[in-house]
């Protein structure tokens, strides 16, 4: 079989790129131990309601400038359904799911987590402005996916 010279160059370029790409991914994942953020902590999805901190979901003040918000996602909502946090303080969101994969997405913020049964995901965020923030599920999770939402009230 005869290859044109340019075809050969592009084939070699393609193969080298693939090898370089897979090497970078492989070295960073296995040698440098890099993983996606969050999801480091695991939890038995059948025992979420008995496992701290999910046995008592809600808002907790950790220190002067930090609050923790523990939430459980399930088909088709979030527990607790009403939460209120202060503006200007760092909020540590901790989420998990009792059934299927959902998401915890606060509209117009950079908070956008997958909520995976068996894993605890965490994200820190500070609301600069008071107001009502819409939380949506953007992972298709079943017949009620489109109604799965809640709001977070941010107060002064
Ligand atoms: Cu929960 Cu979509």
């Amino acid at each position: 079989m005869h290859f044109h010279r340019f075809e050969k160059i592009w084939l070699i370029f393609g193969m080298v790129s693939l090898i370089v790409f897979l090497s970078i991914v492989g070295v960073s994942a296995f040698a440098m131990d890099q993983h996606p953020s969050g999801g480091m902590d695991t939890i038995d999805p059948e025992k979420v309601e008995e496992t701290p901190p999910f046995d008592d979901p809600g808002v907790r003040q950790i220190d002067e400038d930090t609050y923790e918000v523990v939430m459980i996602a399930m088909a088709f909502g979030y527990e607790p359904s009403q939460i209120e946090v202060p503006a200007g303080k760092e909020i540590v969101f901790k989420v998990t799911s009792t059934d299927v994969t959902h998401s915890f997405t606060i509209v117009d913020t950079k908070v956008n987590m997958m909520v995976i049964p068996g894993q605890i995901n965490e994200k820190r965020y500070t609301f600069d402005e008071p107001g009502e923030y819409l939380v949506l599920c953007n992972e298709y999770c079943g017949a009620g996916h489109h109604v799965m939402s809640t709001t977070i009230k941010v107060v002064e």
Side-chain angles (χ1 to χ4, degrees), residues 116-145:
I116 302 162
Q119 297 191 354
I120 301 169
N121 269 11
E122 196 179 302
K123 180 87 187 168
R124 289 165 182 268
Y125 189 71
T126 304
F127 295 94
D128 294 325
E129 299 289 331
E132 297 236 327
Y133 289 77
L134 180 64
V135 177
L136 290 177
C137 174
N138 67 14
E139 292 288 330
Y140 182 73
C141 52
H145 163 69

Side-chain angles (χ1 to χ4, degrees), residues 74-76 78 101-103 137-142 145-146 148:
M74 66 203 69
F76 299 98
Y78 299 90
T101 300
H102 301 278
S103 93
C137 174
N138 67 14
E139 292 288 330
Y140 182 73
C141 52
H145 163 69
H146 62 288
M148 184 164 171

Side-chain angles (χ1 to χ4, degrees), residues 27-38:
V27 167
S28 60
F30 296 107
M32 296 164 75
D33 204 27
Q34 288 181 1
H35 301 283
S37 62

Side-chain angles (χ1 to χ4, degrees), residues 20-84:
V20 167
F21 170 73
L22 290 176
S23 303
I24 291 170
V25 173
V27 167
S28 60
F30 296 107
M32 296 164 75
D33 204 27
Q34 288 181 1
H35 301 283
S37 62
M40 296 301 179
D41 295 318
T42 55
I43 184 169
D44 182 342
E46 295 191 345
K47 296 199 179 112
V48 167
E49 271 95 8
E50 303 139 49
T51 312
F54 295 97
D55 55 343
D56 183 23
V59 185
R60 247 180 302 276
Q61 185 164 12
I62 298 175
D63 61 37
E64 184 86 352
D65 298 309
T66 321
Y67 287 74
E68 180 183 72
V69 171
V70 174
M71 281 188 116
I72 304 170
M74 66 203 69
F76 299 98
Y78 299 90
E79 198 202 319
S81 56
Q82 287 296 316
I83 64 163
E84 201 177 289

